[in-house]
Structure formats: C-alpha cells, structure tokens
Amino acid sequence: MAQVLPIRLYGDPVLRKKARPVTDFTRVPELAEAMLETMFEAGGVGLAGPQVGEAKRIFVAALYQDLPEEEEDRVPLKKRVRETFVLVNPRITFAEGEAVGTEGCLSLPGLYSDDVPRKFRVRIEYQDEHGEPRVIEAEDYLARIFQHEIDHLEGVLFFDRLPPPLKRRFLEENRAELARMQREAKAMLKELAPRR
Ligand code: NI
C-alpha cells in the first residue's frame, strides 16, 4: 500500500509558493500513488503537490460514487472511487462560463466557503504520470476541483478567489481557527524538519 503523507496546513509557507514544473518523471508515479492514498485517507476530492510539501506542478483528484447518507459512513471512500485523475504540469488552455459554488480544502480542514467563483467549463493540457501529453475537458463540479488544484500550484487558496468583502468576512469569521492552524502548521514543520 502506498504511503500516506502528512498534509500541510494553512500557515505552511509551501502552500503560498509557486510550484516548479516537473521535468523528471522517474518518481512521479510513486508520488501520485502516495498522493491518491493520502487524499482517500483524508476524505478529499483533490490534493496538490504543495499540500504534501512537494512544490511541484502535480495534483490528483477523484470522483466518488454517491451513496444514500446512511450508507456513506459504512463504505470506505476508497471503495467508492469512480475515477481518479493525475495531472502533471497542467495548463488551462480554454475556459468559459461562470459558476459559484462551495469549496473546502484539506489544508484548511473544517473550513468552507460558499460563493467561490470559478469557470464553468475548462480544457486542460497536461502530462500524465509518465510524462505523456494529454488533454482533458471538464465542467461544473470536476472543473471546479481542477481549478482549485491548479490554484494550489500558484500558491492560491480558495478564499483568495472570493470577492474582497466575502474574503474579509471569511478571514474574520474564521480568525481563531486560522490562527490555530498556523500554529499547528509551524509545529508540524518542526516535527518534519529532522527528516529532510
Ligand atoms: Ni485545496
């Protein structure tokens, strides 16, 4: 089984860095597998390199089978996977339509915001985990996931996309929780330091 990696929290500087393009694909399949495992474990729909401390242009995502609410807790997320995605060096080459929706982030656990504006439909050119060039088109929910993850590669978090008054409100309403995360992120960095 692939390794589960520690997820970096809000306050970790790696989340605000611009990620570097991937040029050497030798270890990418391994990293992608670990990122997928980490995402399943955390119950997420997407996870970008910087969120596991890898400032590289890679993200993973998954779509899950919907279940009636009473069954959701009994079936592990991994058993509900419909489709997984691994996108390396992704570039949005076409986008159209506007949509607003709710977003959260594994690096800001428990925090959500409605009204995050995104493009409704996107086309993305990328490379797969072996470096092969690919194109994918997505709309609505999947397009939102892809845009959220690509933002991570630019050091952008979902609340940065909110119109300024809503962003201010998000930061104010979650001030205590965000400060707690920043402290936890610092503690985590200290703990990870000897391994580097
Ligand atoms: Ni995120």
Side-chain angles (χ1 to χ4, degrees):
M1 199 167 96
Q3 195 193 352
V4 172
L5 306 165
I7 297 179
R8 303 306 180 86
L9 289 174
Y10 176 73
D12 190 317
V14 74
L15 294 175
R16 289 310 203 176
K17 269 218 281 226
K18 189 175 158 79
R20 295 180 309 273
V22 174
T23 50
D24 178 0
F25 283 78
T26 324
R27 299 196 58 202
V28 170
E30 193 187 332
L31 174 63
E33 206 192 331
M35 286 174 66
L36 283 167
E37 198 65 37
T38 304
M39 180 183 72
F40 297 145
E41 179 83 12
V45 295
L47 185 70
Q51 292 182 277
V52 291
E54 298 276 354
K56 295 177 186 163
R57 305 189 77 81
I58 175 172
F59 74 79
V60 299
L63 290 175
Y64 302 99
Q65 184 195 356
D66 278 325
L67 286 180
E69 221 172 286
E70 63 273 17
E71 279 176 52
E72 252 181 23
D73 294 338
R74 276 188 280 128
V75 184
L77 198 58
K78 230 177 133 174
K79 294 250 156 77
R80 291 167 42 199
V81 174
R82 271 204 294 140
E83 199 173 355
T84 58
F85 305 89
V86 176
L87 275 69
V88 183
N89 298 329
R91 278 188 312 122
I92 295 174
T93 54
F94 173 80
E96 69 174 0
E98 310 296 330
V100 291
T102 305
E103 291 187 26
C105 181
L106 292 178
S107 294
L108 292 113
L111 300 189
Y112 299 88
S113 178
D114 298 328
D115 305 314
V116 181
R118 297 289 182 188
K119 292 294 179 186
F120 180 76
R121 184 176 293 115
V122 290
R123 180 187 303 138
I124 298 169
E125 291 183 19
Y126 67 101
Q127 285 162 284
D128 68 14
E129 64 264 54
H130 307 292
E132 290 302 314
R134 308 258 181 215
V135 182
I136 190 168
E137 288 184 13
E139 58 178 42
D140 204 6
Y141 182 59
L142 187 58
R144 176 171 297 278
I145 297 172
F146 288 168
Q147 290 169 84
H148 175 119
E149 299 313 324
I150 289 174
D151 268 357
H152 272 301
L153 308 180
E154 298 298 320
V156 173
L157 299 170
F158 70 86
F159 61 77
D160 296 320
R161 290 287 179 186
L162 294 169
L166 292 186
K167 177 174 174 176
R168 267 198 304 279
R169 199 174 73 191
F170 177 87
L171 292 175
E172 271 162 32
E173 282 177 352
N174 298 298
R175 192 194 304 268
E177 187 55 19
L178 289 167
R180 195 193 58 72
M181 280 178 199
Q182 284 174 312
R183 285 194 300 273
E184 208 178 308
K186 230 181 231 173
M188 191 190 288
L189 276 179
K190 235 183 227 170
E191 205 180 299
L192 291 170
R195 285 199 230 155
R196 305 236 130 197

